[in-house]
Amino acid sequence: DAKTTQPPSMDCAEGRAANLPCNHSTISGNEYVYWYRQIHSQGPQYIIHGLKNNETNEMASLIITEDRKSSTLILPHATLRDTAVYYCIVRAFSGAGSYQLTFGKGTKLSVIP
Amino acid sequence: DTGVSQDPRHKITKRGQNVTFRCDPISEHNRLYWYRQTLGQGPEFLTYFQNEAQLEKSRLLSDRFSAERPKGSFSTLEIQRTEQGDSAMYLCASSFTSGVSYEQYFGPGTRLTVT
């Protein structure tokens, strides 16, 4: 799987949009971008994934650049409950290694009241 | 609650003892995964099952570790002769294989402390 680069930490004011960047410059054509988050002392939680088009669900939006070398996870109205470590993961949808998620250290997002 | 469950949530053991953890996946999920997470790090893949077959093991899974999924439902992870380096959170996840992408749903984890 391609490696990802994320800032180690970010702050966001409560009620504002949180924009979490991820660089995946070596991504291959068959690899998806996944985002998970992990609230303290809990298991990771799936947020969203995409291949090349922008995606939106009830939790967040995922913006992938046209060259697919980077992406941004957007939490439109951050709340204190969104304080967590956010992981950007690139994974092939088939073939060797496609079954596992390779986590980096993620971005620690702190939502400030 | 129909999510992934793990038991126990916390385990303290003395070095050299054996421990066993249990994971109950979401009922219709055919894939089950084990990960390990140490403090300040992201989870690391250990092994996964498709139904009852263990299809892949990470090199992190030393010969002191064994995992089973005897009937393709729940799974157990056993660590023999525990060492202090085994202290970590052990996470289980499950997924349903359908189409080209599938999300993994994680349990709350079992925190192991080896003294």
Side-chain angles (χ1 to χ4, degrees):
Chain A
D1 292 344
K3 291 186 177 179
T4 61
T5 304
Q6 298 178 254
S9 63
M10 291 181 64
D11 292 340
C12 177
E14 187 178 18
R16 304 296 293 268
N19 296 277
L20 293 94
C22 180
N23 182 285
H24 32 78
S25 58
T26 59
I27 192 170
S28 299
N30 69 339
E31 290 179 318
Y32 282 74
V33 179
Y34 281 76
W35 284 83
Y36 280 74
R37 73 180 182 183
Q38 188 171 25
I39 296 170
H40 183 62
S41 296
Q42 297 183 20
Q45 177 190 22
Y46 166 80
I47 301 173
I48 198 167
H49 74 278
L51 184 61
K52 53 184 177 180
N53 297 321
N54 298 338
E55 302 288 343
T56 295
N57 63 20
E58 65 278 4
M59 289 183 67
S61 294
L62 173 61
I63 308 298
I64 303 175
T65 58
E66 192 170 344
D67 63 7
R68 302 209 323 122
K69 292 185 177 182
S70 66
S71 61
T72 301
L73 178 75
I74 301 172
L75 307 179
H77 305 287
T79 71
L80 299 179
R81 287 189 300 250
D82 293 321
T83 292
V85 178
Y86 286 77
Y87 296 101
C88 170
I89 299 165
V90 171
R91 188 184 77 177
F93 60 72
S94 64
S98 62
Y99 44 81
Q100 66 173 282
L101 298 172
T102 302
F103 292 81
K105 292 189 176 182
T107 295
K108 174 75 168 71
L109 174 69
S110 298
V111 180
I112 314 276
Chain B
D1 186 6
T2 58
V4 178
S5 61
Q6 293 187 245
D7 184 70
R9 295 290 309 277
H10 303 274
K11 178 70 177 178
I12 300 173
T13 191
K14 292 185 177 180
R15 186 163 51 99
Q17 298 295 306
N18 299 344
V19 294
T20 300
F21 311 140
R22 177 181 170 121
C23 171
D24 286 90
I26 294 171
S27 59
E28 65 268 24
H29 285 184
N30 58 345
R31 287 192 175 184
L32 186 146
Y33 314 78
W34 286 98
Y35 291 80
R36 181 176 72 184
Q37 184 174 25
T38 54
L39 201 61
Q41 305 295 317
E44 297 173 290
F45 170 80
L46 291 178
T47 188
Y48 98 102
F49 293 83
Q50 179 149 319
N51 300 313
E52 66 275 8
Q54 187 174 18
L55 297 185
E56 188 66 32
K57 293 192 288 187
S58 160
R59 64 182 185 277
L60 294 175
L61 210 67
S62 77
D63 55 7
R64 295 184 298 105
F65 287 69
S66 63
E68 294 183 341
R69 195 182 183 198
K71 297 182 179 179
S73 57
F74 73 92
S75 176
T76 57
L77 178 68
E78 180 183 17
I79 308 174
Q80 296 182 325
R81 305 181 304 281
T82 53
E83 302 172 355
Q84 288 189 323
D86 297 331
S87 294
M89 176 78 85
Y90 290 85
L91 293 159
C92 175
S94 69
S95 70
F96 180 68
T97 308
S98 176
V100 297
S101 66
Y102 39 88
E103 300 83 43
Q104 295 184 20
Y105 295 86
F106 284 80
T110 294
R111 182 167 296 284
L112 173 66
T113 302
V114 182
T115 62

